[in-house]
Structures are given as structure tokens and as C-alpha cells.
Amino acid sequence: MAEHHTQKKTPAQKTFDLLSALLTDNPVYKSIFRTGYPSTLLKRMAVMRSSFYMHLFPTKVGEHGLKLRYSWCMGGITFFLFLLLSLTGILLMFYYVPEEHRAFHDMKDLRFMVPFGVVLRNMHRWAAHGMVLAVMLHMMRVFYTGSYKAPRQFNWVVGVLLLLFTLLLSFTGYLLPWDQLGFWAVTVGTNMASATPLLGYEGPFHELLGVQIDNDIRFAIIGGTRIGPNALVRAYVWHCVGIPLVATLLMVFHFWRIRKDGFSGPL
Amino acid sequence: MEQELRPDKSGYMLMNKPGYPRVSSWPHLIWLIFLMMLFITIVLWAVSFLAYAPLEEMAEWAKTPNPAKAPWYFIGLQELLVYFDPWIAGVMLPNQILIGLILIPYVDITPSEQGHYRWSNRRFAVAYFTFGIAFWATLIFVGQLLRGPSWQIYWPIIDYDISGHTWTREGVPLKQGGLKLASMSTGTGMALIIGFFTIGMILPFMVTKLFPKSNVVKALDKYLKELGYIKYFVVQSHVLMMGATVMKIILRLGFNIKYIIETPWFKI
Ligand code: HEM
């Protein structure tokens, strides 16, 4: 910046400048970060465009959108919690096997045997609740600021799907500890599916399609007539592979659309 | 005119006009994101060191807990099971909520009201959405915090210690759900439902025709004209569905009505 040249520098500042020059003014650093330290407006623009991660964001943003009282940062918080959940989730997968007789004991091991296992599991659990809460709050802020209006209508639709998949992610994870809490919560939840009209064995008009307890939609979801080992494996695969994959694709699309439609602001 | 109002290109936005206050993303936005990540990480760590994730006994098919509760974000639907059969509470209503949410941008008629928390030109939309959120939150609150064994209402402090996690107190028996419930006759029920939706559909138009032109009525008239029949039908169906859900809850709580319509195939 300009004042660097006008002000007289103390020895400490000179040393700092020298060290940072050593660090940034060399071919290796420049091969990784294409621009030097972004100290001028030009370099600040360049750093946003030339870095893979930074180019998610625009080079300049409107001041109103930066205010916390506008966006609550809630979409960002939702996404960051998703990243933390992926990280802690992968670590949990090292210690957890979705098998009827083993799953619960793996939870106990995490609590009592694995170093920091209890913090790992707690972080995953609380972040999951946090993400559900954050995505609801994010939807509310988008509604109350009218940010779903043209040209962002379709991104709102993508958002509603993301809301659904966030809930499903959390719900499939609920069964995995294989304790009474999750087991019965998921039993209650999946029982609702058996009431689907036509497709559920307790739903209206199910006779028309010859639907029974062992061929209805609930059977297809949980792989049995009640929650058992098949349901556990299904919950695990949906939770760790299927839904995160779909949710990630939707998020990539969501972010791309924010860039293309422009972040909301007064007209 | 229509084209001008519709910001189909983000170029319409003030933000993209020259002179609008903009700042470089580095460092302003990046800094904010960095602080946000730091803050969330610290909070999550703190919580995770202080509060343990729940882990109950190992799952056992033969031991059904009473009550067995869904996770909190789905407990609103479970709470609706008090008032509706599962095919409505667990299948139709959640689908209606999702479809309703998806439709919001497509029935909106104030495209220019965006980018700020200013609701004077979209009072109805804001009121309806807020009511829906509050309804959902109330159901979660009741289901999560007030429901005990046999899905009966248990009041904290009065019925059980908040410090403990059990609804049983020495010498106090668990509540029983022995309420006598009645159903309407099919004729009355059909008339009620058809009447509710028909009158509900035409009521706003009748109000604008029959009532003196006060400011509220004028605003309603203007709103209906701008909305057009198709969007009106879509919006009003959802308003009436939510209204019907509330009405059924009132009928059940206030008048002990179990079903409005009973057929051999389904009950409402
Ligand atoms: C996993 C879930 C979600 C993630 C990670 C996510 C992430 C984000 C992020 C990071 C933003 C940028 C602005 C901000 O932080 O507020 C954003 C904007 C937006 N989100 Fe989401 N979102 C999610 C779910 C939703 C839902 C449920 C909705 C609505 C139903 C939604 C609708 C929108 C819209 C319309 C915008 C543009 C807002 C504007 O331009 O002001 N998103 N989202």
C-alpha cells in the first residue's frame, strides 16, 4: 500500500518485510499462489480470480451483502457445518461398522477407548443438529429478504431440495448408533411410509396394487418388515455415500447459481 | 413496464450500477468467512467438550420405549398424528409443505421487493410464511417438550421434575389417554369440508364486492387483481389446506372430534 513508501520504517518492520519477501518472492511460492501477497487493489482482484478456491467468490461484493444483519452468514454456516460433518464423519467411519451386533459396541469404544473418540462423536452429533437448524434459518432469511425472487427462483427450488436432503442426512444418521433412541425414532419415522396411499400396506387404496407388508414402499426403504440389519446397512450407505453425493452436487449447483444470478440486493 | 419490474438480469440491481458501494472481496469477504469458520469451530468444540451426544441402551425390538419420539425436526409430523391418520400427517402434509415451498417464487407478484427486510408491500406473503413457521415450531415444541408416555401432555415442574428425565413420580400414576372421541356423520363431514373449501375459495372475492371500500378491502382487491386466477387458486389452496389443518386441531381439542369423514378406505 501507498503508506509503506511514505512512512519511515522501524527495524522490526524492515525485518518483517524482508522475511515476507523471502517467503513470497520465490519461484516455489509463486508456482502455488500465482499472485504475491495481495497488497494492492489490482492484486486483490487477481488473487480472487487466479485461485481455485477464491474464484468461488466474486472479485468485488456490494457492501450491504457483507453485513451480518443481512445474510446472518447462514448459508455459509450451513456449508461449513457440512464440511466439518464430512471431516468428522470420515474419521468416524474408521471406527464404525454397520453391523447389528457390532455397531452399538463401536459407539461405546468411541466413548471409552478411542483417543478423543468421544469429542469426535460429539462434534459430529452437534454439528448435525446445528446444520438442520442453520438450513432452516437460512431459508427464513432468504424468504424475509425476498431473495428468492427473479432471477433466483430456481435456486430457491434447489434450496428446498437441499433442505430435504439435509433432513434425510440427519435422519439416516440417527439409526447408526443402534441404540434405543435411534432405533425407535427411525421405526416411528419409517412407519409413516407404510401409510402412503397406494404404495404403503396401511395406506388408502393399497389393495388396488396388491400391496402388502412385504412388498410395499416401507419394505423397499428399510429392506425388511421391521428395522433390522438390512435397514442398518441401508441407512449407512445412504448416510455416508448416497445422500452426501447428491447433496454435494446440489450445493455445487446452488453456489454456481448464486454467482450467475448475482447475490441479492436492492434493485 | 413488466420487463422493467422483472429483474431477470442481475444488471437491474442497484449493486451492479456504477457508484454503488462495493468493496474488494479480499480481504473484506474472505476475512468475514475466516472469522465465521473460526467462530463456528470454537463453538462446536466447546459444546462437544461439555455436552455428550446421547447414547441409550442397545436397540432391542422387544422393548418399545413409551413414548418413542422421532428426531426433533420430524416431531412436528408425529405430533400431527394426534389429529390425523398417518397417510395425512406423514405423507400428504409433508409433501404439501415441500410443494408449497417450491411454489413460493412462482406465485410471487412483487418481484421488486427484494434485497432488504422491508415488508410493507408483501404483508400477506410475510404473514402467511411466518404463520407456517410458527405453526411448525409450536408442533415441535409441544411434541418435543410436553409429550410424555402414551403421547399425553406432561407439564414440566407440575407433572415431573425437569432435572430428572422421567415422567413417573412416586405415587403419581402415568396419564392415560382415555378420552372419548366421536366422529361426524358422513353427510355433515362432507358438507363441512366441501363448504370450507368452496367458501374459502370465493370468500376473498365476496369481501371485495360486498364490503365498503375501506383501505384494507382496497388493498385486497388490488392484490387479487394482480395475482390473477391461476396464481390465486394455487395460493388459496395452500392457505386453505393450512387453515383446514388448524381447524381439524381445533375440532379435535375443543370438540373431541376424531374424524370428519369416515369411509371404508380412508378417514379424515
Ligand atoms: C445444505 C443446504 C444449503 C447450503 C449449504 C446453502 C448455502 C448457501 C450459501 C453459502 C449462500 C450464499 C449466501 C448466504 O450465505 O446466505 C446461499 C444463498 C441462497 N440460498 Fe442457500 N443453502 C442451502 C439451503 C438453502 C435452502 C433450504 C434455500 C431455500 C429454500 C436456499 C436458498 C438460497 C437462495 C435463494 C440463495 C440466494 C440468496 C441471495 O442471493 O441473497 N438455500 N445458500
Side-chain angles (χ1 to χ4, degrees):
Chain A
M1 282 215 202
E3 55 264 320
H4 279 255
H5 304 287
T6 50
Q7 272 169 6
K8 235 178 146 217
K9 291 191 173 181
T10 63
Q13 274 173 329
K14 276 186 190 157
T15 323
F16 180 81
D17 283 354
L18 189 71
L19 285 178
S20 60
L22 270 178
L23 183 70
T24 60
D25 252 352
N26 63 66
V28 178
Y29 179 93
K30 283 187 174 164
S31 76
I32 307 170
F33 307 102
R34 320 281 343 179
T35 44
Y37 184 79
S39 49
T40 63
L41 186 61
L42 211 62
K43 281 186 179 173
R44 286 174 177 185
M45 301 275 113
V47 78
M48 295 305 294
R49 253 182 277 115
S50 60
S51 152
F52 175 73
Y53 296 103
M54 301 289 185
H55 101 289
L56 261 173
F57 305 102
T59 49
K60 277 185 168 186
V61 285
E63 257 176 19
H64 80 281
L66 274 178
K67 304 237 161 67
L68 271 184
R69 66 159 187 270
Y70 182 72
S71 78
W72 315 345
C73 227
M74 263 310 150
I77 290 176
T78 313
F79 182 57
F80 185 59
L81 286 172
F82 180 74
L83 292 182
L84 287 179
L85 283 161
S86 309
L87 190 77
T88 51
I90 289 173
L91 293 176
L92 284 172
M93 283 170 82
F94 293 162
Y95 300 99
Y96 173 85
V97 177
E99 199 275 322
E100 197 186 7
H101 304 287
R102 193 172 152 184
F104 181 76
H105 301 288
D106 286 341
M107 289 293 122
K108 288 278 184 203
D109 276 357
L110 275 168
R111 172 84 187 268
F112 297 110
M113 304 300 290
V114 179
F116 295 102
V118 64
V119 182
L120 189 62
R121 175 162 180 248
N122 290 352
M123 280 180 73
H124 196 73
R125 185 76 166 207
W126 299 135
H129 284 306
M131 185 175 165
V132 173
L133 193 67
V135 72
M136 289 177 180
L137 291 174
H138 171 56
M139 183 180 79
M140 287 167 67
R141 100 84 183 138
V142 170
F143 180 86
Y144 286 121
T145 54
S147 307
Y148 58 86
K149 302 184 186 204
R152 281 172 224 88
Q153 303 100 318
F154 190 63
N155 217 15
W156 167 272
V157 177
V158 175
V160 176
L161 295 180
L162 275 169
L163 171 75
L164 175 67
F165 282 109
T166 306
L167 295 179
L168 290 180
L169 259 179
S170 189
F171 186 66
T172 48
Y174 220 69
L175 181 65
L176 302 183
W178 205 246
D179 66 339
Q180 283 287 74
L181 185 67
F183 184 89
W184 288 99
V186 172
T187 300
V188 169
T190 48
N191 274 347
M192 298 247 192
S194 65
T196 313
L198 289 173
L199 301 178
Y201 82 100
E202 289 173 328
F205 307 117
H206 67 271
E207 317 81 8
L208 295 181
L209 297 180
V211 164
Q212 297 157 11
I213 188 167
D214 58 356
N215 66 3
D216 75 337
I217 186 167
R218 173 169 161 278
F219 188 89
I221 294 171
I222 66 176
T225 52
R226 64 173 175 86
I227 301 290
N230 288 347
L232 183 56
V233 172
R234 283 175 195 213
Y236 181 75
V237 175
W238 280 121
H239 184 75
C240 303
V241 186
I243 305 176
L245 212 65
V246 179
T248 305
L249 287 176
L250 284 173
M251 279 183 216
V252 169
F253 188 79
H254 197 60
F255 300 156
W256 180 76
R257 282 301 289 245
I258 298 169
R259 287 300 309 279
K260 294 294 148 183
D261 299 337
F263 189 65
S264 63
L267 296 179
Chain B
M1 182 64 201
E2 169 81 343
Q3 194 53 32
E4 257 171 62
L5 270 177
R6 294 195 140 262
D8 286 315
K9 297 229 171 64
S10 47
Y12 282 98
M13 297 200 305
L14 249 182
M15 193 161 76
N16 295 337
K17 304 231 152 80
Y20 187 83
R22 289 160 85 209
V23 292
S24 55
S25 297
W26 180 292
H28 300 92
L29 176 64
I30 299 303
W31 182 234
L32 184 75
I33 290 171
F34 175 72
L35 285 182
M36 179 276 286
M37 296 201 296
L38 207 61
F39 174 71
I40 295 292
T41 310
I42 290 172
V43 170
L44 185 63
W45 253 342
V47 171
S48 300
F49 273 103
L50 295 173
Y52 280 0
L55 185 67
E56 297 187 351
E57 287 160 42
M58 190 162 153
E60 209 180 312
W61 177 247
K63 233 165 88 181
T64 313
N66 184 8
K69 290 189 178 186
W72 64 270
Y73 39 84
F74 283 151
I75 220 167
L77 301 177
Q78 197 183 0
E79 176 63 22
L80 281 175
L81 282 176
V82 175
Y83 312 100
F84 295 98
D85 278 0
W87 71 276
I88 300 183
V91 184
M92 306 310 273
L93 290 179
N95 277 304
Q96 192 228 326
I97 295 172
L98 282 178
I99 293 170
L101 284 174
I102 286 178
L103 287 175
I104 289 177
Y106 300 102
V107 295
D108 186 84
I109 50 163
T110 48
S112 53
E113 288 298 316
Q114 56 169 283
H116 39 63
Y117 294 92
R118 193 174 66 211
W119 303 334
S120 46
N121 286 331
R122 48 194 289 250
R123 286 214 172 94
F124 170 71
V126 168
Y128 182 37
F129 183 81
T130 308
F131 183 81
I133 295 281
F135 189 22
W136 183 245
T138 312
L139 289 174
I140 291 178
F141 177 80
V142 175
Q144 184 73 27
L145 299 175
L146 301 184
R147 292 293 182 181
S150 309
W151 214 253
Q152 297 298 303
I153 296 279
Y154 281 74
W155 299 103
I157 303 169
I158 299 173
D159 286 329
Y160 64 95
D161 269 328
I162 323 191
S163 54
H165 295 285
T166 164
W167 284 275
T168 42
R169 269 192 174 172
E170 237 179 292
V172 182
L174 284 180
K175 296 186 180 182
Q176 297 299 326
L179 204 59
K180 276 242 166 50
L181 297 176
S183 294
M184 290 185 173
S185 71
T186 311
T188 327
M190 291 287 259
L192 191 68
I193 290 197
I194 295 175
F196 178 82
F197 280 92
T198 319
I199 295 179
M201 272 293 165
I202 51 180
L203 187 68
F205 293 103
M206 283 172 22
V207 168
T208 58
K209 292 271 154 11
L210 301 179
F211 280 55
K213 298 266 178 277
S214 68
N215 281 343
V216 181
V217 174
K218 271 191 209 143
L220 178 67
D221 195 34
K222 186 160 163 276
Y223 179 70
L224 291 176
K225 290 223 167 78
E226 281 170 9
L227 206 54
Y229 288 111
I230 299 176
K231 285 182 186 173
Y232 169 77
F233 182 75
V234 173
V235 173
Q236 189 68 353
S237 329
H238 282 84
V239 172
L240 290 175
M241 290 272 255
M242 199 196 270
T245 310
V246 175
M247 292 300 279
K248 175 76 200 288
I249 291 178
I250 293 172
L251 284 177
R252 164 69 175 70
L253 292 180
F255 303 93
N256 292 345
I257 300 282
K258 186 162 167 66
Y259 292 120
I260 299 175
I261 291 185
E262 264 185 305
T263 71
W265 311 281
F266 62 87
K267 300 175 171 113
I268 298 176

PDB file of all heavy atoms in Angstrom, chain B residues 32-44:
ATOM      1  N   LEU B  32     -14.323 -12.130   6.649  1.00  0.00           N
ATOM      2  CA  LEU B  32     -15.585 -12.475   7.305  1.00  0.00           C
ATOM      3  C   LEU B  32     -15.779 -13.992   7.335  1.00  0.00           C
ATOM      4  O   LEU B  32     -16.136 -14.577   8.371  1.00  0.00           O
ATOM      5  CB  LEU B  32     -16.739 -11.819   6.539  1.00  0.00           C
ATOM      6  CG  LEU B  32     -18.123 -11.990   7.141  1.00  0.00           C
ATOM      7  CD1 LEU B  32     -18.273 -11.096   8.343  1.00  0.00           C
ATOM      8  CD2 LEU B  32     -19.202 -11.672   6.110  1.00  0.00           C
ATOM      9  N   ILE B  33     -15.493 -14.638   6.193  1.00  0.00           N
ATOM     10  CA  ILE B  33     -15.668 -16.087   6.112  1.00  0.00           C
ATOM     11  C   ILE B  33     -14.706 -16.791   7.061  1.00  0.00           C
ATOM     12  O   ILE B  33     -15.072 -17.737   7.760  1.00  0.00           O
ATOM     13  CB  ILE B  33     -15.460 -16.555   4.659  1.00  0.00           C
ATOM     14  CG1 ILE B  33     -16.631 -16.070   3.807  1.00  0.00           C
ATOM     15  CG2 ILE B  33     -15.332 -18.074   4.574  1.00  0.00           C
ATOM     16  CD1 ILE B  33     -16.439 -16.275   2.331  1.00  0.00           C
ATOM     17  N   PHE B  34     -13.466 -16.272   7.107  1.00  0.00           N
ATOM     18  CA  PHE B  34     -12.471 -16.861   8.000  1.00  0.00           C
ATOM     19  C   PHE B  34     -12.925 -16.756   9.458  1.00  0.00           C
ATOM     20  O   PHE B  34     -12.902 -17.740  10.214  1.00  0.00           O
ATOM     21  CB  PHE B  34     -11.131 -16.148   7.805  1.00  0.00           C
ATOM     22  CG  PHE B  34     -10.072 -16.604   8.751  1.00  0.00           C
ATOM     23  CD1 PHE B  34      -9.500 -17.861   8.611  1.00  0.00           C
ATOM     24  CD2 PHE B  34      -9.663 -15.796   9.809  1.00  0.00           C
ATOM     25  CE1 PHE B  34      -8.525 -18.292   9.502  1.00  0.00           C
ATOM     26  CE2 PHE B  34      -8.688 -16.224  10.695  1.00  0.00           C
ATOM     27  CZ  PHE B  34      -8.122 -17.474  10.542  1.00  0.00           C
ATOM     28  N   LEU B  35     -13.406 -15.587   9.854  1.00  0.00           N
ATOM     29  CA  LEU B  35     -13.866 -15.402  11.232  1.00  0.00           C
ATOM     30  C   LEU B  35     -15.056 -16.301  11.539  1.00  0.00           C
ATOM     31  O   LEU B  35     -15.159 -16.890  12.615  1.00  0.00           O
ATOM     32  CB  LEU B  35     -14.251 -13.939  11.476  1.00  0.00           C
ATOM     33  CG  LEU B  35     -13.090 -12.966  11.619  1.00  0.00           C
ATOM     34  CD1 LEU B  35     -13.621 -11.569  11.913  1.00  0.00           C
ATOM     35  CD2 LEU B  35     -12.149 -13.419  12.733  1.00  0.00           C
ATOM     36  N   MET B  36     -15.950 -16.405  10.551  1.00  0.00           N
ATOM     37  CA  MET B  36     -17.129 -17.254  10.741  1.00  0.00           C
ATOM     38  C   MET B  36     -16.697 -18.698  10.985  1.00  0.00           C
ATOM     39  O   MET B  36     -17.184 -19.362  11.896  1.00  0.00           O
ATOM     40  CB  MET B  36     -18.023 -17.131   9.506  1.00  0.00           C
ATOM     41  CG  MET B  36     -19.285 -17.942   9.502  1.00  0.00           C
ATOM     42  SD  MET B  36     -19.041 -19.646   8.960  1.00  0.00           S
ATOM     43  CE  MET B  36     -18.807 -19.426   7.201  1.00  0.00           C
ATOM     44  N   MET B  37     -15.736 -19.179  10.185  1.00  0.00           N
ATOM     45  CA  MET B  37     -15.280 -20.568  10.337  1.00  0.00           C
ATOM     46  C   MET B  37     -14.637 -20.763  11.707  1.00  0.00           C
ATOM     47  O   MET B  37     -14.881 -21.754  12.393  1.00  0.00           O
ATOM     48  CB  MET B  37     -14.288 -20.921   9.225  1.00  0.00           C
ATOM     49  CG  MET B  37     -14.904 -20.897   7.847  1.00  0.00           C
ATOM     50  SD  MET B  37     -14.013 -21.836   6.608  1.00  0.00           S
ATOM     51  CE  MET B  37     -12.480 -20.970   6.509  1.00  0.00           C
ATOM     52  N   LEU B  38     -13.832 -19.772  12.103  1.00  0.00           N
ATOM     53  CA  LEU B  38     -13.166 -19.844  13.410  1.00  0.00           C
ATOM     54  C   LEU B  38     -14.216 -19.906  14.518  1.00  0.00           C
ATOM     55  O   LEU B  38     -14.155 -20.744  15.430  1.00  0.00           O
ATOM     56  CB  LEU B  38     -12.293 -18.599  13.578  1.00  0.00           C
ATOM     57  CG  LEU B  38     -11.085 -18.719  14.491  1.00  0.00           C
ATOM     58  CD1 LEU B  38     -10.152 -19.786  13.944  1.00  0.00           C
ATOM     59  CD2 LEU B  38     -10.375 -17.378  14.584  1.00  0.00           C
ATOM     60  N   PHE B  39     -15.196 -19.025  14.424  1.00  0.00           N
ATOM     61  CA  PHE B  39     -16.227 -18.926  15.448  1.00  0.00           C
ATOM     62  C   PHE B  39     -17.012 -20.236  15.564  1.00  0.00           C
ATOM     63  O   PHE B  39     -17.178 -20.784  16.655  1.00  0.00           O
ATOM     64  CB  PHE B  39     -17.157 -17.756  15.102  1.00  0.00           C
ATOM     65  CG  PHE B  39     -18.345 -17.635  16.010  1.00  0.00           C
ATOM     66  CD1 PHE B  39     -18.186 -17.204  17.324  1.00  0.00           C
ATOM     67  CD2 PHE B  39     -19.622 -17.952  15.560  1.00  0.00           C
ATOM     68  CE1 PHE B  39     -19.274 -17.093  18.163  1.00  0.00           C
ATOM     69  CE2 PHE B  39     -20.711 -17.842  16.393  1.00  0.00           C
ATOM     70  CZ  PHE B  39     -20.545 -17.419  17.708  1.00  0.00           C
ATOM     71  N   ILE B  40     -17.453 -20.757  14.417  1.00  0.00           N
ATOM     72  CA  ILE B  40     -18.243 -21.993  14.447  1.00  0.00           C
ATOM     73  C   ILE B  40     -17.402 -23.149  14.991  1.00  0.00           C
ATOM     74  O   ILE B  40     -17.879 -23.961  15.794  1.00  0.00           O
ATOM     75  CB  ILE B  40     -18.752 -22.334  13.029  1.00  0.00           C
ATOM     76  CG1 ILE B  40     -19.726 -21.265  12.550  1.00  0.00           C
ATOM     77  CG2 ILE B  40     -19.441 -23.698  12.999  1.00  0.00           C
ATOM     78  CD1 ILE B  40     -21.020 -21.206  13.289  1.00  0.00           C
ATOM     79  N   THR B  41     -16.127 -23.211  14.586  1.00  0.00           N
ATOM     80  CA  THR B  41     -15.263 -24.288  15.075  1.00  0.00           C
ATOM     81  C   THR B  41     -15.131 -24.220  16.593  1.00  0.00           C
ATOM     82  O   THR B  41     -15.260 -25.238  17.292  1.00  0.00           O
ATOM     83  CB  THR B  41     -13.869 -24.186  14.425  1.00  0.00           C
ATOM     84  OG1 THR B  41     -14.039 -24.056  13.026  1.00  0.00           O
ATOM     85  CG2 THR B  41     -13.045 -25.410  14.724  1.00  0.00           C
ATOM     86  N   ILE B  42     -14.896 -23.013  17.101  1.00  0.00           N
ATOM     87  CA  ILE B  42     -14.716 -22.872  18.551  1.00  0.00           C
ATOM     88  C   ILE B  42     -15.999 -23.252  19.282  1.00  0.00           C
ATOM     89  O   ILE B  42     -15.978 -24.004  20.262  1.00  0.00           O
ATOM     90  CB  ILE B  42     -14.294 -21.419  18.902  1.00  0.00           C
ATOM     91  CG1 ILE B  42     -12.871 -21.179  18.396  1.00  0.00           C
ATOM     92  CG2 ILE B  42     -14.378 -21.181  20.402  1.00  0.00           C
ATOM     93  CD1 ILE B  42     -12.422 -19.742  18.501  1.00  0.00           C
ATOM     94  N   VAL B  43     -17.138 -22.740  18.795  1.00  0.00           N
ATOM     95  CA  VAL B  43     -18.405 -23.054  19.459  1.00  0.00           C
ATOM     96  C   VAL B  43     -18.650 -24.560  19.436  1.00  0.00           C
ATOM     97  O   VAL B  43     -18.995 -25.171  20.453  1.00  0.00           O
ATOM     98  CB  VAL B  43     -19.580 -22.309  18.779  1.00  0.00           C
ATOM     99  CG1 VAL B  43     -20.917 -22.815  19.305  1.00  0.00           C
ATOM    100  CG2 VAL B  43     -19.457 -20.821  19.011  1.00  0.00           C
ATOM    101  N   LEU B  44     -18.419 -25.182  18.278  1.00  0.00           N
ATOM    102  CA  LEU B  44     -18.689 -26.617  18.164  1.00  0.00           C
ATOM    103  C   LEU B  44     -17.768 -27.407  19.106  1.00  0.00           C
ATOM    104  O   LEU B  44     -18.201 -28.355  19.770  1.00  0.00           O
ATOM    105  CB  LEU B  44     -18.490 -27.072  16.718  1.00  0.00           C
ATOM    106  CG  LEU B  44     -18.870 -28.539  16.452  1.00  0.00           C
ATOM    107  CD1 LEU B  44     -20.350 -28.762  16.698  1.00  0.00           C
ATOM    108  CD2 LEU B  44     -18.503 -28.941  15.039  1.00  0.00           C
TER     109      LEU B  44
END
